[in-house]
């Protein structure tokens, strides 16, 4: 029965790992919520994600695993992949590290099959983009407590810093938000990162 659900929430500045009763583990990034049944139904396993999670799904041919977000539906049998779906972004992004997933928009008219080192995203109400080959480690750096920015705008950088360090920014010159940043941060403090960005 999927009548009883529980929720787990990480706040800004927090991360956590969940182990579900089927053996699936979910690594949750900051400011993320996941909702899942106490006991999975036999015919399918479903979770609902708001934020970012890295899934290591326990293989079970008889019971496919689904991740639902506000913008998309993801179906897998057993694989490892990352889902990002923050409400303020109005889109869901999927990155596959191992295995294969079927990625569809909320209307499920179009589906994209993603395999290892591929990424796609869907904007709310739309269809997934064509699979793109990527350097997976750049997008999964958060699992190692790193932040990797490759030509990211300052606006994108600030979003991530706000979630990671639980801070709010005031931008007095909006034109700065379009400046591009190339940087890798590992164990730097917020003040060290701000000093670096100021250059």
């Amino acid at each position: 029965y999927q009548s009883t659900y529980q929720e787990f929430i990480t706040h800004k500045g927090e991360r956590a790992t969940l182990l579900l009763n089927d053996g699936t583990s979910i690594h949750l990034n900051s400011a993320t919520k996941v909702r899942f049944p106490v006991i999975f139904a036999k015919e399918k396993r479903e979770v609902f994600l708001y934020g970012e999670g890295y899934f290591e799904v326990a293989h079970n041919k008889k019971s496919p695993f689904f991740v639902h977000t506000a913008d998309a539906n993801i179906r897998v049998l057993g694989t490892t992949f990352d889902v990002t779906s923050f409400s303020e972004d109005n889109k869901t992004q999927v990155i596959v590290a191992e295995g294969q997933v079927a990625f569809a928009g909320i209307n499920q008219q179009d589906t994209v099959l993603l395999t290892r080192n591929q990424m796609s995203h869907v904007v709310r109400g739309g269809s997934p983009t064509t699979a793109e080959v990527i350097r997976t480690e750049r997008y999964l750096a958060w699992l190692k407590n790193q932040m990797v920015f490759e030509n990211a705008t300052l606006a994108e950088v600030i979003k991530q810093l706000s979630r990671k360090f639980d801070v709010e920014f005031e931008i007095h010159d909006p034109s700065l938000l379009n400046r591009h940043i190339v940087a890798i941060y590992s164990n730097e403090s917020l003040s060290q990162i701000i000093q670096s960005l100021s250059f």
Side-chain angles (χ1 to χ4, degrees):
Y1 299 98
Q2 294 198 30
S3 56
T4 306
Y5 281 84
Q6 53 190 22
E7 287 184 348
F8 191 92
I9 297 172
T10 57
H11 298 288
K12 288 184 177 181
E14 293 181 339
R15 294 192 319 177
T17 300
L18 280 180
L19 183 63
L20 305 183
N21 67 354
D22 68 331
T24 293
S25 64
I26 311 174
H27 304 274
L28 302 175
N29 208 345
S30 302
T32 296
K33 178 172 75 173
V34 63
R35 190 163 66 94
F36 55 95
V38 176
I39 299 173
F40 284 119
K42 287 183 179 180
E43 69 279 2
K44 63 181 175 179
R45 299 167 286 168
E46 291 183 294
V47 301
F48 299 83
L49 179 77
Y50 313 86
E52 181 170 17
Y54 180 76
F55 292 78
E56 296 177 282
V57 177
H59 187 76
N60 185 343
K61 271 189 175 181
K62 296 180 179 178
S63 181
F65 194 96
F66 293 86
V67 180
H68 303 289
T69 73
D71 319 297
N73 298 290
I74 301 124
R75 181 184 187 275
V76 304
L77 290 174
T79 187
T80 54
F81 60 100
D82 186 82
V83 180
T84 307
S85 182
F86 290 100
S87 58
E88 62 266 29
D89 295 338
N90 289 323
K91 72 174 185 179
T92 293
Q93 174 181 279
V94 175
I95 294 164
V96 177
E98 295 288 344
Q100 184 182 70
V101 308
F103 180 41
I106 205 69
N107 56 19
Q108 298 200 40
Q109 289 178 348
D110 299 302
T111 300
V112 171
L113 288 178
L114 299 173
T115 57
R116 184 179 181 182
N117 295 332
Q118 288 188 333
M119 174 181 78
S120 174
H121 72 268
V122 60
V123 176
R124 185 163 300 168
S127 298
T129 58
T130 305
E132 174 187 353
V133 178
I134 57 160
R135 291 196 304 119
T136 308
E137 63 274 10
R138 170 253 190 267
Y139 293 92
L140 302 182
W142 68 272
L143 292 166
K144 298 178 181 177
N145 206 32
Q146 293 181 329
M147 304 179 82
V148 178
F149 301 112
E150 293 182 353
N151 208 28
T153 64
L154 184 60
E156 293 168 332
V157 172
I158 282 174
K159 273 186 188 178
Q160 289 199 39
L161 291 176
S162 177
R163 291 169 188 150
K164 182 177 174 68
F165 292 101
D166 190 16
V167 293
E168 298 297 328
F169 291 87
E170 283 188 18
I171 308 300
H172 296 283
D173 181 359
S175 67
L176 292 175
L177 293 173
N178 295 319
R179 297 291 291 272
H180 288 260
I181 307 293
V182 177
I184 299 176
Y185 300 112
S186 294
N187 298 308
E188 289 86 351
S189 66
L190 178 61
S191 60
Q192 288 173 317
I193 294 174
I194 295 297
Q195 186 177 16
S196 165
L197 291 174
S198 72
F199 291 112

